[in-house]
Amino acid sequence: MKRIILITGGQRSGKSQHAERLALELSDNPVYLATAHIWDEEFRQRVAHHQQRRGPQWTNIEEERHLSRHQLAGRVIVIDCITLWCTNFFFDSEKPEDEQPTVDEALEALKTEFDSFTSQDATFIFVTNEIGSGGVSDNVVQRRFTDLEGWMNQYVARQADEVILMVAGIPIKIK
């Protein structure tokens, strides 16, 4: 039976670890679908830390954009994370700087990919950040990205069967 769970919260709130614990409660061999693009050495080390935390029972998949390429029916999948996934659509590395997608174009592409991916009969545990909880940025690019992610988070939350807000490592059920 298809199930969508969204886990959201601030940076270092315990989102990923909670998602991993939940996945292991639901499956002996969950899937970890990482959406990260490795930008620099510090981020590479963060990714390595996440990978070391998980054990051999995990199937690890790295996919920056096209989640629906992976047929995972019947599996429990942690998708970590919507924020980085949105970044990959917002900053399209395959296009020159002057041809980057608009917020609306990126949002429509994300929604289409989300709908295609989640049409499978599986348990999806999406992790995301609440980047719009702080002040309004004085940077136009950051404001545009915050809009994109906020709208995508709302879209996923509407589809979700369950929404959990992480605060200082404590899960709070929202939906």
Side-chain angles (χ1 to χ4, degrees):
M1 184 171 94
K2 180 173 124 177
R3 183 175 174 200
I4 298 173
I5 301 167
L6 177 64
I7 300 175
T8 188
Q11 188 173 348
R12 295 288 176 250
S13 62
K15 301 176 304 290
S16 295
Q17 288 181 322
H18 184 70
E20 292 168 15
R21 280 193 303 272
L22 180 57
L24 287 169
E25 288 173 11
L26 298 172
S27 174
D28 292 334
N29 61 338
V31 175
Y32 193 93
L33 205 160
T35 61
H37 176 83
I38 307 299
W39 299 99
D40 56 30
E41 185 54 35
E42 185 273 340
F43 196 73
R44 184 180 312 283
Q45 291 175 10
R46 282 178 182 248
V47 169
H49 176 75
H50 270 243
Q51 290 171 338
Q52 291 168 0
R53 188 174 65 218
R54 294 186 301 274
Q57 68 271 36
W58 287 87
T59 300
N60 294 299
I61 300 171
E62 294 182 17
E63 178 60 60
E64 293 182 17
R65 292 177 56 124
H66 304 288
L67 307 183
S68 64
R69 287 182 184 166
H70 305 280
Q71 298 306 305
L72 299 167
R75 304 291 301 272
V76 172
I77 310 128
V78 171
I79 303 91
D80 198 357
C81 73
I82 291 174
T83 306
L84 296 172
W85 191 42
C86 285
T87 301
N88 299 335
F89 280 83
F90 187 71
F91 297 107
D92 189 338
S93 61
E94 298 172 7
K95 293 184 177 181
E97 189 173 324
D98 62 341
E99 293 181 24
Q100 290 299 306
T102 67
V103 170
D104 290 340
E105 290 168 338
L107 182 59
E108 285 311 308
L110 283 156
K111 288 178 177 180
T112 298
E113 186 60 28
F114 174 86
D115 291 344
S116 180
F117 180 57
T118 60
S119 68
Q120 301 176 64
D121 186 17
T123 299
F124 304 92
I125 304 171
F126 284 90
V127 176
T128 194
N129 292 283
E130 285 296 324
I131 65 171
S133 294
V136 177
S137 175
D138 62 357
N139 179 293
V140 68
V141 174
Q142 181 59 46
R143 287 192 307 268
R144 288 176 56 226
F145 182 77
T146 300
D147 289 347
L148 172 64
E149 181 173 15
W151 289 324
M152 189 60 192
N153 284 349
Q154 289 180 47
Y155 186 78
V156 174
R158 281 192 303 272
Q159 316 303 319
D161 301 291
E162 186 175 346
V163 178
I164 299 166
L165 172 65
M166 295 298 297
V167 178
I170 300 169
I172 302 166
K173 187 169 183 172
I174 303 298
K175 177 180 176 186

